[in-house]
Amino acid sequence: MLFSATRTVLLLTAAFLTPVYSAPMDLASRGSKASSTSHSGDGTFYQPGLGACGTDNTSHDLIVAVSHTLFDSYPGANPSNPNKNPICGKKLRATYGAKSVIVAVKDRCIGCATGDLDFTSTGFGKLASLDKGRIHGVKWQWV
């Protein structure tokens, strides 16, 4: 009986002291917790057309291109067919100062750093004057 109790204590100790390693998980793939995670970067705008998600867009659409790093590493991304990337169509709320806009991811931005967003002129215009060209400190989160 004593052997059994000692063995149980050892097994429990081993279970709690054994490190568990797993690959980091992108918060965007974790449902409701993802919306509480805030990202930040620069905001710019571009003239869209046929985007990496396989849809044709115009400057009037409330869409955004995210950095190629984020686009390519998004959970479930398939490098051989970016049109099927699960990030496509995912919405985010971008905020700059007191203004915010909700946009859908429809493209991939080669010149963007990880937290940067490249808006259509309509989306950018909801945050700042187009005359600015680039705005620093845009905060955003998935919705």
Side-chain angles (χ1 to χ4, degrees), residues 11 22 37 54 58 83-84 89 91 94 98 100 102 104 111 128 130 133 135:
L11 288 174
S22 64
T37 302
T58 72
N83 297 321
K84 294 187 178 185
K91 293 188 177 186
S100 68
I102 294 177
L130 297 181
I135 51 179

Coordinates of all heavy atoms in Angstrom, one line a residue, residues 11 22 37 54 58 83-84 89 91 94 98 100 102 104 111 128 130 133 135:
L11 N 4.3 9.9 -9.8 CA 3.7 10.1 -11.1 C 3.1 11.5 -11.2 O 3.2 12.1 -12.2 CB 2.6 9.0 -11.3 CG 3.2 7.6 -11.6 CD1 2.0 6.6 -11.7 CD2 4.0 7.6 -12.9
S22 N 4.9 23.2 -27.3 CA 4.0 23.2 -28.4 C 4.3 24.4 -29.3 O 4.9 25.3 -28.8 CB 2.5 23.2 -28.0 OG 2.2 24.4 -27.4
T37 N -6.9 40.8 -28.8 CA -5.5 41.0 -29.0 C -5.3 42.2 -30.0 O -5.9 42.1 -31.1 CB -4.8 39.7 -29.6 OG1 -5.0 38.7 -28.7 CG2 -3.3 40.0 -29.9
G54 N -8.0 36.3 -54.7 CA -8.7 35.9 -55.9 C -9.9 36.7 -56.3 O -10.6 36.3 -57.2
T58 N -12.1 47.3 -55.9 CA -12.0 48.6 -56.3 C -11.6 49.5 -55.1 O -11.7 49.1 -54.0 CB -13.3 49.2 -56.9 OG1 -14.2 49.4 -55.9 CG2 -13.8 48.3 -58.0
N83 N -5.6 31.9 -52.8 CA -7.0 32.2 -52.9 C -7.8 31.5 -51.8 O -8.9 31.9 -51.4 CB -7.6 31.8 -54.2 CG -7.0 32.6 -55.4 OD1 -6.8 33.7 -55.3 ND2 -6.8 31.9 -56.5
K84 N -7.2 30.4 -51.3 CA -7.9 29.5 -50.3 C -7.4 29.8 -48.9 O -7.7 29.1 -48.0 CB -7.8 28.1 -50.6 CG -8.5 27.7 -51.9 CD -8.5 26.2 -52.2 CE -9.3 25.9 -53.4 NZ -9.5 24.5 -53.6
G89 N -11.1 37.4 -46.4 CA -12.5 37.7 -45.9 C -12.6 38.0 -44.5 O -13.6 38.5 -44.0
K91 N -12.4 39.8 -41.0 CA -12.6 41.3 -40.8 C -11.8 41.7 -39.6 O -11.5 41.0 -38.7 CB -14.0 41.6 -40.6 CG -14.8 41.4 -41.9 CD -16.3 41.9 -41.7 CE -16.9 41.7 -43.1 NZ -18.3 42.3 -43.1
A94 N -9.7 48.7 -37.6 CA -8.5 49.5 -37.5 C -8.9 50.8 -36.9 O -9.9 51.4 -37.2 CB -7.9 49.7 -38.9
A98 N -9.2 58.9 -32.8 CA -10.6 58.6 -32.4 C -11.4 58.0 -33.5 O -12.6 57.8 -33.4 CB -11.3 60.0 -32.0
S100 N -12.3 54.9 -36.5 CA -12.1 53.5 -36.8 C -12.9 53.1 -38.0 O -13.8 53.8 -38.4 CB -12.4 52.7 -35.6 OG -13.8 52.7 -35.3
I102 N -14.0 49.2 -40.1 CA -14.0 47.8 -40.2 C -13.7 47.4 -41.7 O -14.5 47.9 -42.6 CB -15.2 47.1 -39.7 CG1 -15.3 47.3 -38.2 CG2 -15.3 45.6 -40.0 CD1 -16.6 46.8 -37.6
A104 N -12.2 44.2 -44.6 CA -12.0 42.7 -44.8 C -10.7 42.5 -45.5 O -10.3 43.3 -46.4 CB -13.1 42.2 -45.6
G111 N 5.3 45.0 -49.3 CA 6.1 46.1 -48.7 C 5.7 46.4 -47.3 O 6.3 47.4 -46.7
A128 N -8.0 58.9 -41.9 CA -7.2 60.2 -42.0 C -7.3 60.7 -43.5 O -7.8 60.0 -44.3 CB -5.7 59.8 -41.7
L130 N -6.2 61.6 -47.1 CA -5.3 60.9 -48.1 C -4.0 61.7 -48.3 O -3.0 61.1 -48.6 CB -6.0 60.7 -49.4 CG -7.3 59.9 -49.4 CD1 -7.9 59.8 -50.8 CD2 -7.0 58.5 -48.9
G133 N -0.9 60.2 -46.6 CA -0.1 59.1 -47.3 C 0.2 57.9 -46.4 O 0.0 56.8 -46.8
I135 N 0.2 56.8 -42.1 CA -0.1 57.1 -40.7 C 0.5 56.1 -39.8 O 0.6 54.9 -40.1 CB -1.6 57.2 -40.5 CG1 -2.4 56.0 -41.0 CG2 -2.2 58.5 -41.1 CD1 -3.9 56.0 -40.7

